[in-house]
Amino acid sequence: MKNKILISLNLILLMSCSTKSQDLSTIDFNQNAETYLDGLSFSSKTEQKGHYEAVVKGEDASLKLVDKGELSTNYVFMGEKNTAQLNYGGIPINDVMGTAITVYDNKIAFMRINVKNDQSIALLEVLKKKLGTPTEIVLSEDNSYDETDKSQRLLLEKLPNETKKVKDDVLDDYTLTYPENFIWNKNDVIYQLTFSPTGNYISSQLVVIEKKAFKDKIIMGYHNPDKDPTLSKYLN
């Protein structure tokens, strides 16, 4: 009898110590946000009223929130405790850069996801499996090629069709162009994966944004949808 009680207590303790795990790749933007966020710990949570508008005074420009009834909630997940709960298709989250999630109209409308630095190519493969061939691949401008740069060599090895090493006859040197942005336009949601080769690894950032939130200008950094040089075409 005592052994049964001890086993039961141990099970209760294990259950109380366990934390929720959320695969961000499974989030349905049409479902209630509570389905995914309840039980998760986060670094910060802020309520936002209104949308962003630019204020230009001479050469100075700034942003201000204008309240027209829009209500959103911004969550930030940083630090090992908070990011350990999250993954994207099984890929762990970078605990320094973390993840940001915005809830709008009671649904998740925006995610900014940073995975571990050595997992960028794996993240691309997960996205291709989930979403198919990218709608668009935006190449970088010419970059000076450095054969000692591990990230450049990795791009040439893993993405040979999109990464090009070109001889510059004028400078008698080589330049490199690489896939900087992979974009998937899927119904009411846009996925944008950005690559940044930084020496020893390819860092990446995945942005997933619901088109209504984009058009309503509630996300800082995505507050001028009509003039976004990369994504505006997908809002028509």
Side-chain angles (χ1 to χ4, degrees):
M1 184 66 178
K2 288 183 178 179
N3 288 336
K4 290 183 178 180
I5 293 173
L6 287 173
I7 292 172
S8 298
L9 288 172
N10 287 333
L11 286 172
I12 292 171
L13 286 171
L14 286 171
M15 291 175 64
S16 64
C17 291
S18 64
T19 58
K20 179 179 177 179
S21 176
Q22 180 61 57
D23 181 352
L24 300 175
S25 72
T26 66
I27 286 178
D28 184 340
F29 279 47
N30 293 311
Q31 296 296 318
N32 193 296
E34 292 182 354
T35 303
Y36 306 105
L37 297 179
D38 276 4
L40 294 177
S41 63
F42 43 81
S43 308
S44 66
K45 174 184 177 182
T46 56
E47 303 289 338
Q48 177 180 305
K49 294 182 179 180
H51 66 275
Y52 287 100
E53 290 188 6
V55 179
V56 180
K57 294 181 179 179
E59 296 182 355
D60 297 327
S62 61
L63 290 175
K64 69 174 181 178
L65 280 171
V66 178
D67 189 356
K68 296 292 184 180
E70 306 95 337
L71 180 62
S72 56
T73 307
N74 300 309
Y75 295 83
V76 175
F77 300 82
M78 295 183 71
E80 185 175 354
K81 173 188 174 184
N82 299 312
T83 57
Q85 312 163 99
L86 308 176
N87 68 84
Y88 195 93
I91 298 175
I93 303 300
N94 186 314
D95 61 337
V96 176
M97 300 300 294
T99 290
I101 294 175
T102 296
V103 174
Y104 184 47
D105 291 337
N106 296 317
K107 301 171 185 177
I108 291 177
F110 175 80
M111 296 190 293
R112 181 183 285 112
I113 301 164
N114 298 279
V115 299
K116 296 283 189 181
N117 290 328
D118 61 350
Q119 295 294 310
S120 296
I121 299 296
L123 176 59
L124 174 61
E125 294 306 314
V126 167
L127 288 165
K128 284 181 177 179
K129 185 175 180 180
K130 172 181 171 65
L131 303 170
T133 302
T135 307
E136 180 184 7
I137 299 176
V138 181
L139 298 180
S140 70
E141 296 181 352
D142 290 344
N143 296 268
S144 297
Y145 176 70
D146 180 357
E147 64 180 7
T148 67
D149 188 309
K150 293 181 180 179
S151 63
Q152 292 187 357
R153 295 204 310 268
L154 186 60
L155 285 166
L156 285 166
E157 176 189 346
K158 298 295 185 181
L159 301 171
N161 294 329
E162 298 88 358
T163 308
K164 302 299 178 184
K165 175 185 170 185
V166 179
K167 178 70 177 294
D168 188 325
D169 293 326
V170 175
L171 298 175
D172 193 28
D173 206 349
Y174 287 94
T175 61
L176 187 82
T177 58
Y178 64 90
E180 190 170 27
N181 290 284
F182 298 85
I183 299 165
W184 290 264
N185 181 28
K186 292 293 182 180
N187 300 318
D188 296 325
V189 181
I190 300 170
Y191 295 75
Q192 181 183 23
L193 175 63
T194 302
F195 275 179
S196 300
T198 54
N200 289 328
Y201 53 82
I202 304 167
S203 64
S204 62
Q205 184 174 90
L206 173 62
V207 165
V208 189
I209 185 167
E210 194 267 335
K211 292 180 182 179
K212 184 177 186 301
F214 198 179
K215 292 177 180 178
D216 288 353
K217 306 178 182 180
I218 65 160
I219 307 296
M220 182 179 288
Y222 296 85
H223 51 271
N224 199 357
D226 295 334
K227 294 184 179 180
D228 188 293
T230 305
L231 302 182
S232 60
K233 70 182 79 172
Y234 298 113
L235 295 177
N236 297 327

